[in-house]
Structures are given as C-alpha cells and as structure tokens.
Amino acid sequence: MSFFAQPRRAALAIACVVAFIQGGSLASADAAEFEEFGIKSASAQLTDTSAASHPDFVTRFELNHHAGSGGTQISTGRLESASVFLPPGLVGNPKALDQCSTGEFLQVNSSGGAIGNCPVQSQVGVVKFLLSGNEENESFTEPLYNLEPPHPDTEVARLGFSAAIGPVFIDISVRTGGDYGLTATAHGVPAVSSLIWAQTTIWGDPSDPRHNTQRLTTAEANYCYETGTACQTENGERSVAPAEKAFLTNPSACQDQAVDFAVTSFQLPGQLFTAQAPLDTIADCQGLPFEPTLELQPTTPKAGAPTGLHATIHLPQHEGTHERGTSTMREARVILPEGMTISASAAQGLEACSDEQVGFHQEVDAACPDASKLGTATIVSPVLEQPLHGAIYQRTPSPGHQFGLWLVTDELGLHVKLPGEVTGDPNTGQLTARFSGLPQLPVEEVALDLWGGPKAPLKNPDTCGSHTAYFDFTPWSTDPDATGQAAVTIDEGCGAGFSPKLTAGVTHPVAGAFSPFVLTLTRGDAEDNIKGLDVILPQGLLAKLRGVPLCPGAAAASGACPEGSKIGSVVVAAGAGPDPLWIPQPGKAKPQVYLAGPYAGAPYSIVSVVPAQAGPFDLGTVAVRSGLYVDPETGVATVRTTLPQVLEGATILYRTIHVVIDRRRFIINPTDCRAMKVKATVVATRGATAAPSDRFQVGRCRRLKFAPKLSLSLSGGSKRGEYPALTATMKTRRGDANVDHLSVVLPHSEFLAQEHIGTICTRKRFVVRNCPKRSVYGYAEAWTPLLSKALKGPVYLRSSDHPLPDLVAALRGQIEVDLDGRIDSTKGGGIRTTFATVPDAPVTKFVLRMNGGDKSLLVNSTDICKVSHRAILRIVAQNGRRFSSRPDLKTRCKKR
C-alpha cells in the first residue's frame, strides 16, 4: 500500500562543522563583546548538482570576530554547539564504508595525545578550522571519520574528528517532526579556545582517488598533529580500495535548496544564532532508476471472509559510486481488487489515534491506544543496519476522511509518523490506499501486515479466482510513474449462493386487533449481498394512517423526520465473519422508522433512519426510503426497498435487518384467520433472487360478529321504459368482521339497459388511468377508520372476459382501491352484480350512485310505483360468517 521513510540512520550527509580547540592562551573578551557573538557568514556548495548523483558537499561558517594585535583574529565568544540542517533528500549511507569504533577513535598514542587510530578506510572527509588568537592565522585540517554510533538501537549515525585536546563528535539525526532532512550537530565543543571559522567537506565517494592526498592518519606509527608531510606516505598520497556504494547522494527531486546553520555560545546560554546559505539547485531529474513492485496476499483465501492483508513493496536500489541512485518514492497508490472491501465487523471495539496522540510533527514516541492498532509494519532501508519495526493505526476520522491510517515507528531514535488514507469508490466500494508526500529517504522494502481474524479490517471478494490489484507509484524525480498489477487468489469457500431467511409476524395475533409487527431478514456469511427487498404483507394486515403526521419530503430525504411521524425502529447487523457489527452500538443513537408521503410512485413511504456510528466512525445518518404500495384490487401492501451499497466509500454488507413497527394502534390485523404468508422477494448484488417467506395466521375470528346493512333507492323516472338512477348504501359496525365478497340481485322491475352500454374503458387504458369520460356511469365513496378522508371516484364500465362489461368503482384518495363488479343475471332473470374480491379492510360506509337518464344502466320493466320491490343481498365476511337480506328498493313514489 505505500511507503515510507527512512530512519535517521538512514542517511548520512553531513556538513556539520564545529568549533575546535587548540591549546595555547587566548586573549579574553570582556562581557560586552560576548553580545556580539553570532554567525558572520555561511556558505554551502555541491560539486555535482545532478539528481541522485554523489557529489562532495562543502559547508563553511564564520563567526563574528575582530582584529587583535599583530593581525590576529579574536573571537567575540566561545562556541558551545553548532548544527547544520541539510535540505531534504541529501542523504548519506554509513553502511557504504568502514566504521571506526569509539575505542579506535579515542585511542591514546605513545605521545600521550588523544589522537585516535581510525582506519583510513573510514575517513569520509576533512574539517578545516581557524582558532582565535592564532598568531600566524594558520588554519588546521583534520580527517573526518565515519564512527560507530555508541547506541545503535537509538541512534542513526555519528561522525567525528580529533583535535589536539580532545575528540569532537557530530551526531546525525533525521527531522522526522518536519521535512525528514538530516541535521548534523556538534554538542559540547571544548571551550579552551574560540573558533573563528570552520569548513567541512563530505566526500560523495570517499574511495575516489582524487581524495588520496587528503587522507590523513592519526595512527601512532604515522602521528600527525595537523596536515603536513609527516602525515603522508612516501609518494605523497594514500589510496583505498574502490567502494561499491556511494556515501553521499543528492535529492531525487529538482528543487531549490538551502542549508541552515545554528550555533550557541557558552557565554550566552539559551540564545540561538542562525544563518542560512543558498545551495545549488538540483537539476537533471530524469532517467533515474525506479522499478518498484508490489505483492499482496490475504491472510485467508476464503471467499467473502474477513481478512487481513500482507502488502510488500520492493524497490531495487542502485547504490554504485559511478551510477545515479534510485529515485525515492513520492506517492504510493494501490487499488485493491474489486470486491475486497472494508468490513464493518472491524469497527467493534476499535479506537482511533489522533494527531496529538501519535505526536504528528513532534519528535516524541507515539502514544496511540492499543485498540487503534490494525497491524504491523517493517521498513528496510539500504542505509540502516537493521529493519525498522512499527505499527499501523487507525487515524481519527474527520469529515470526508473517514478511513485514515498512521504508519508509525519509533525505533533507532526516529519518530516516523506517516499519514495515509483509504478511500472507496462511491458506487462500487472498491478501495484505494494512498500515502502521499513521502520523505526523500531511501527505502528498498516496506512490508505492511494488516491483522486477520473475525474483526479484520477487510473482506475478501465473494467469488473465487484470481483478483487483480493495481498500483501506481510516483517518484520524486520527473520520470513517469511506475504502474503494474498484483494478483490476489481466492480459492476457498466458493459458491456460497444466495438463500436469505425471513421471519415475520405480529406479536398479538388476534383477528381485527391492533398489534406490533416484527420482521427479521438474515443473510449468511459469504453469500451475495442484499441489494433490493420487497416485503409482501398478508391480505388484511394494514396500517391505520389516520392521525399519523407524515414526515415532510425534504426531511424524509435527509432523515430529519419529526418525532410524531415515528412508527417503529430498526436494528441492523453488517460486516463479514462470525461477529458482524450491530447498529446501534451501546451508547450510540438508535435507528428509527418514520411514515412519509408519496415516493417512487407509491402513495406512502417508510423512512428508516440509521445513524452510521460505530467505533471511532460517524458516517452521518443513512436515510433509506421504501415505497409503501397497496394493490388496488386486493388491498395487499408491499414495502419495496433498494438498499444503499456504499457509504463514504465503505461497502455495507447486510447480515441482519430487524424491523419493529410498534406505534400504538397503528398496525391492524386481518379478520381472516386462514393461514397466510409474509412473503419477500430479495435481490442480490449480482442478480440472484430469493423468495423467503414465513407463515402468518391470526386467531379468534369467530368472536367477530357481522351484521351489515344495505339500502337501495331509485330516483328519476318511475314509469315503465324510463331510466332511473340507483343509489346503494352499505354500512357496517365497527369491530365486526370485514367484507370478503358480496352480490346484489335487483328485482325483476329493473332490466339492464343495454342500449345505454356505449363507451367501455379498455383494461389497458384503465391500468394507466386514462379511461374516456363517456365510460363513466356513476360515482362511489367509501369511509374507513384507517384513513382521514373518504375515498371517492368514478364508476366505469370496463372490458371483461364475461359477456357483459364489468362495473368498476375506481376509488381515489390517500390510497387507490378498485372494486371490480361482475354484471350478469340470475336464472330468474334478475340483474346481479357480484364483487368477488373485496379487500380485508374495515369500511364503515360505502355509497354507490349510478347515473340516471341516458347514462343509466337500468330500465324499468314496470311502473315501479305500483307495488314495492325487494332486492336480494348475500354477503360473506372475511371470517366466514354469512349474511343475507332482502332490502326494499326504495323509490320517491307517493304512498298509496
């Protein structure tokens, strides 16, 4: 996935120069002169400015001073410490040549001077300096050695040189709290003499023959106090074997550069004096070696299972003295295989590490919580004696940046804290891991190990086979990105299929009673994810919409519904493995269910509002809106849901959906006690479908009574051959069983006026609500305690499979209901209208008004005012009770 810094020891390039001391008395300065202490001038230079080349590096600084007697230079203070801050990317390799041990460096020769006995192969440059009060103003030159760090487990590197009165150590550190450049610091410089100026030269290739005349030895057999013929061999130079690796390497990036200097004085404690010198701009940044590769391996090859991931980046190094070095990596981007997504199971018990806890931009050890640790990291650098071991932590989320990472190591005295980020495609959830702005420090291998197990942070693809990851690594040079692929093989747990399970029902299964409704849908681990869901409720299981304020449209879209619209709650389990994440988590907001208005062609909708909060993550509120459809002929309700698949780049793996609709007196049971089913149609992300169901049945139907009343009346023409208008009114008692089907037979006084059967609405036009106006032959109204307003609508003649057209009342309002009536005649010749399918819903009053005159479907066969006439009513209730009556056909005739 990315990759990273080099530890301090990782690079050595130093140009630290110091104040050194030579014996002899020095004219003292008065206290006022100490105030003039500071850096008078500073300079820095590279002998080669090509990117990743191996130049010599020269730094020089001069302290404030004034002229003394005899032309001597007199310092205004005595140097305590000196630091040189290299630009980022200018690094050295202490492993490129021999190291001088501390014992060798401090070895005392036979003359009693602490001169040292470092091997000539360990020399990396020279230091020249001028001391205050030198009567001849003669500078000194000393060899600079690559020393063994006294504490290799906590220190990166050390250089040193030996002055006549004692050693001077230059410690190398990496600015891991800033730009990851190197800092060379000489601490505790001996204060016997004061420094005027110092110049340090670091060799890019210490074995280059050009340096032979500058190789000095302090071995006892060849003692030298300073540069002179006594320090040289007979031919005036000393050679060493050619080195295989360069000591100093330029940055990979074309960049403007500067070197900063800082000094302190013994006489002015706590005061820091600084200066800056420009350094040659790096150029020629093309054509650098850069050939990284990537290997990926999940911790388990099981399809759909939670998994960790072993990710290893290899970056071959070119370290030869006669070749330019490998470009350092600026950005690493890895696109994981499609289907390898974030597993929500990992959020349980997970904590996050903040910028403050990790110590970002600070030279301190990270203090991330153990519960935020996701795995381990190993970094191998060509300039370090041993690999760096560290950890991967979950970074504290921020808006738009939920899945951040820390790559941390605090070994070798380093404090590397590299921020990374994992993002998901908003449509597919495919993950991309990215580490940007990586330090210009050499790394040859980075291995990241995300832990596996039930709470692993990733989930494998759901299908077996070879899945492809892609990488794009950007160098600091101007060369093209290195791109390629890595294969991830999944070969276990294949073909889990798709067979979700459904359990559903009411908690109080009594016919006609109000009761909470509970539904649970579960999906097995490794099965295809759920994409869509239709829940078909049993006929007669309805909701009392009257009195429930609807969640407004904008609020329904965002989930900010008012409390009054609440009808229930929901619990969701998501994630892979045996321990999915349950929402709500303890102490987090609870998901709620609300009733809202029209949506996606449905008259009502249900809004499930789920606060996506778990562990350190708060992905906001997920509002899932489901259409609530009602079949106009049967009254069967269907809830249709399309589930979101990706949230903030994280794929939602639905394992359990548990819904409870428990608003008081909201869900009402059917009055039919026959066994039915709650059915579902579940669609998987890859197109598979399943139809789970659960048995549903209520009881105690026989306790419900049934005694409806029907009145029929004619108005208009009463003579034979005239066309009257018909009004039918049926009333039921609250608490009775609901109507299942009914038939009404008119008396022989009324014939069907076939001459008036004109325009008939076709079924196709009826379905799209586009019937001709002339196909309307009456109007109807229905009142139910479940709705706040009556349903109203025209009565059509509609084409039928029977000899005569059907009579259909299209009731419209808060929902749509189509009452289909078949028109035929009995054996006795009476006109009969049969409503064979009536929704199992409480209807307290129904009124049918058929037109009279030239739109009447009835014609009088006699003078209806001469005698009274009776109809025949037969009704069957949903609980099986039957009711028959012979209501009078009322007229407006005068009594005789």
Side-chain angles (χ1 to χ4, degrees), residues 289-308:
F290 187 69
E291 301 161 338
T293 59
L294 173 68
E295 296 178 7
L296 295 177
Q297 183 180 1
T299 58
T300 175
K302 185 178 180 181
T307 183

Side-chain angles (χ1 to χ4, degrees), residues 275-299:
Q276 186 179 80
L279 185 62
D280 312 85
T281 298
I282 298 299
D284 189 19
C285 300
Q286 291 183 331
L288 300 188
F290 187 69
E291 301 161 338
T293 59
L294 173 68
E295 296 178 7
L296 295 177
Q297 183 180 1
T299 58

Side-chain angles (χ1 to χ4, degrees), residues 474-764:
T474 304
W476 274 99
S477 68
T478 56
D479 294 297
D481 289 8
T483 59
Q485 300 178 0
V488 172
T489 300
I490 305 298
D491 55 11
E492 293 183 9
C494 310
F498 186 65
S499 56
K501 304 296 187 292
L502 176 73
T503 58
V506 292
T507 61
H508 184 57
V510 174
F514 289 98
S515 172
F517 175 77
V518 180
L519 177 144
T520 303
L521 181 71
T522 58
R523 176 187 68 88
D525 193 20
E527 292 185 6
D528 289 353
N529 197 26
I530 300 172
K531 180 180 180 180
L533 170 66
D534 284 6
V535 176
I536 302 98
L537 300 179
Q539 186 175 20
L541 187 65
L542 304 173
K544 183 179 179 180
L545 305 178
R546 183 178 181 179
V548 181
L550 302 181
C551 179
S558 66
C561 294
E563 183 67 19
S565 302
K566 179 184 171 183
I567 59 173
S569 61
V570 62
V571 176
V572 178
D579 191 14
L581 171 71
W582 286 91
I583 297 177
Q585 289 278 287
K588 303 293 185 180
K590 296 181 179 180
Q592 307 292 352
V593 179
Y594 300 90
L595 184 67
Y599 173 75
Y604 288 88
S605 58
I606 294 175
V607 181
S608 300
V609 180
V610 181
Q613 300 172 341
F617 306 111
D618 186 348
L619 305 184
T621 299
V622 182
V624 179
R625 200 166 182 183
S626 308
L628 178 57
Y629 301 85
V630 180
D631 186 291
E633 294 188 0
T634 63
V636 170
T638 298
V639 180
R640 181 166 300 155
T641 306
T642 298
L643 296 173
Q645 300 296 297
V646 180
L647 178 62
E648 291 274 353
T651 300
I652 307 173
L653 304 173
Y654 298 95
R655 296 291 299 281
T656 299
I657 302 173
H658 179 74
V659 181
V660 177
I661 306 299
D662 58 359
R663 184 185 178 99
R664 184 176 180 273
R665 299 182 64 82
F666 181 71
I667 295 294
I668 188 169
N669 289 331
T671 59
D672 183 350
C673 286
R674 290 172 293 183
M676 294 181 279
K677 289 183 178 181
V678 179
K679 302 177 182 178
T681 300
V682 190
V683 181
T685 51
R686 289 186 291 165
T689 60
S693 63
D694 194 19
R695 186 177 184 275
F696 179 91
Q697 189 171 22
V698 296
R700 300 177 63 183
C701 281
R702 298 303 298 176
R703 71 180 180 84
L704 298 177
K705 298 180 179 180
F706 187 63
K709 292 182 179 180
L710 176 68
S711 64
L712 298 171
S713 64
L714 296 176
S715 61
S718 61
K719 303 292 185 181
R720 175 185 172 87
E722 291 184 330
Y723 304 98
L726 172 67
T727 299
T729 301
M730 188 178 73
K731 296 181 180 180
T732 63
R733 300 178 305 181
R734 292 197 179 191
D736 279 8
N738 301 324
V739 175
D740 180 63
H741 60 275
L742 65 88
S743 67
V744 177
V745 180
L746 295 179
H748 291 176
S749 61
E750 303 304 320
F751 288 169
L752 181 64
Q754 296 193 38
E755 64 274 20
H756 287 172
I757 300 178
T759 304
I760 298 174
C761 182
T762 64
R763 290 186 177 183
K764 289 183 178 180

Side-chain angles (χ1 to χ4, degrees), residues 320-331:
T321 58
H322 299 294
E323 63 178 347
R324 294 206 287 174
T326 299
S327 176
T328 50
M329 189 179 296
R330 183 174 186 172
E331 178 178 280

